[in-house]
Structure formats: structure tokens, C-alpha cells
Amino acid sequence: MAITTRTVVHVDGISHTFGGALALGPLTFAVHPSEIVAVVGPSGCGKTPLVRISAGLLEPTSGAAIHSDRRPGSVGYVFQEPALLAWRRVADNARLFVTRRDEPIVERLLRVSGLADHAAKWPHQLSGGMKMRLALVRSLAASPDLLLMDEPFGALDQITRHRLHDELLSLHVDQRFGAVLVTHAIDEAVYLADRILVMSGAPGRIVEEFAVPFAGRRTNELRYSPPFAELCGTIAASLGRHA
Ligand SMILES: Nc1ncnc2c1ncn2[C@@H]1O[C@H](COP(=O)(O)OP(=O)(O)OP(=O)(O)O)[C@@H](O)[C@H]1O
Ligand SMILES: [Mg+2]
């Protein structure tokens, strides 16, 4: 399929084998500008290789991940662990991927994420939630067209997780990046995504796709509304059918 300007990444017929065993695919999907696509699937179905392939960090055994923008910095990656540099202060971690010209963005993101007062601290002086926020800020500071996230909130408590969800959404309103969010948490996928892809057990394939119909700004009340619970139930059932 030809790539169009309406796609930030087109993952085209990829599959991947480890040591001769098929771990993932074949599968195809695309992410459009400013669209958040969540990927849910059982543990071990190949979600991490899928994000790594989507980022261009891993060469698929077959197929390709095609990016519409090949500029350095056009793809951001948030790992499951914050992966901060222990020997750089908070502000210097945040500006790791930016040029001097982008300095105002770093300052704004540190402010918006509540890290400005901690800019001179070292990573070990931050809480888990703050570290994750910093990892997010570091990826967003480069103004990526595509943000790839591999279970970025998995290790956090629920209150921090919910706070970061809202922060991610408000940064998204500002920056309008396209995103792929891999998560185990169905409610997280439903709260954050425009579209949800359900993967089967290994070798992971996309078996179902759901549009998330909640238009506009998402707020905490949505999490406790009947349509939200119903969609979570539908996706849980889909996962159960295809595990
Ligand atoms: N570097 C590697 N070398 C060999 N096999 C690997 C490698 N990375 C992943 N695998 C295998 O590929 C499959 C997918 O694993 P992976 O952990 O990437 O899945 P996942 O969906 O991300 O799981 P989780 O939700 O637990 O993070 C597993 O069978 C795993 O053993
Ligand atoms: Mg994984």
C-alpha cells in the first residue's frame, strides 16, 4: 500500500521470528496524524517487538514500518522503564534529544508536567511517577510526529496513573502527535485511545479493532460511566476469545 500524508506510520505486513520461531504477525496497521492507537494483547504475544519495529529499532523478519517523516526526532519512544540518565539532572535528561533552538519547549513541558521545581534534581531523587513524567517530557520535547509507548504506566499506582493519563491527553491537545500505546490495562486503552487493536496470543496478530466513541476531552467521570464500562467489557471479551 502506498504511504500517504495521512499516515505517520504504516506497519505493512510485518512478521518477526526469534530463533526460527514466529513470535509476531503477519500484521498491518497504520497510525494517522494526531490519532492515539492502543494495542492490547496477552503477555508474550509480541507487543514489545511490535513497538520496536514501529519505531525502526528492530528490523522485522518480513514487511516494513514506513514513516512519513524521516527526520531525526520525528519518532519518540517511551520505554516501560523510565530509562533516565542517572548522571544528568532532571532538566538535562529532559533536553537530551533537543537542539538549543527547542529550549523553550523543554521549559514549557517541565512546567506543564510539574517538574520545573525539580529541574536541578538527580533522577534518583524523583518518585516513580515523576520519573515516568520526565521520560514522557523527554520524548515530547523533540516534538515527535509519532510517539510510541510500551506500557509506560504499568509500574505506577492508580492515582498517579490516572493523573498521567490526563497529562498525556493535555500534552496531546497541544502537540497533536500520532501515538501507539501498548498496555495491559483495558481501561487505560479506552480512556486514552481513539482506536484499540486487540492482539491474539503468540504469534501475535491483530484480531479485532474497536473505535472509541467518546468525543472531546476525557474526564475522570467518563471512567465510571456505563458506556465506558460496556466498552471495557467488550474488549475484555475479545481478549478472552483470542488469547
Ligand atoms: N530478544 C528476544 N530474543 C528471543 N525471543 C524473544 C526476544 N524478545 C521477545 N522474544 C519472544 O517473543 C515473544 C514475545 O515476547 P514479548 O515479551 O516481546 O511480548 P509482549 O507482548 O511484549 O509481552 P509483555 O506483555 O509481557 O511485555 C515471547 O515468546 C518472547 O519469549
Ligand atoms: Mg512487552
Side-chain angles (χ1 to χ4, degrees), residues 99-110:
T99 59
R100 198 176 287 278
R101 170 174 66 75
D102 292 328
E103 196 59 26
I105 300 177
V106 175
E107 278 165 28
R108 188 174 55 79
L109 285 171
L110 284 173

Side-chain angles (χ1 to χ4, degrees), residues 43-44 46-49 51 80 150-151 182 184:
S43 186
K47 299 183 297 298
T48 294
V51 220
Q80 192 162 353
D150 190 2
E151 297 189 43
V182 163
H184 276 298

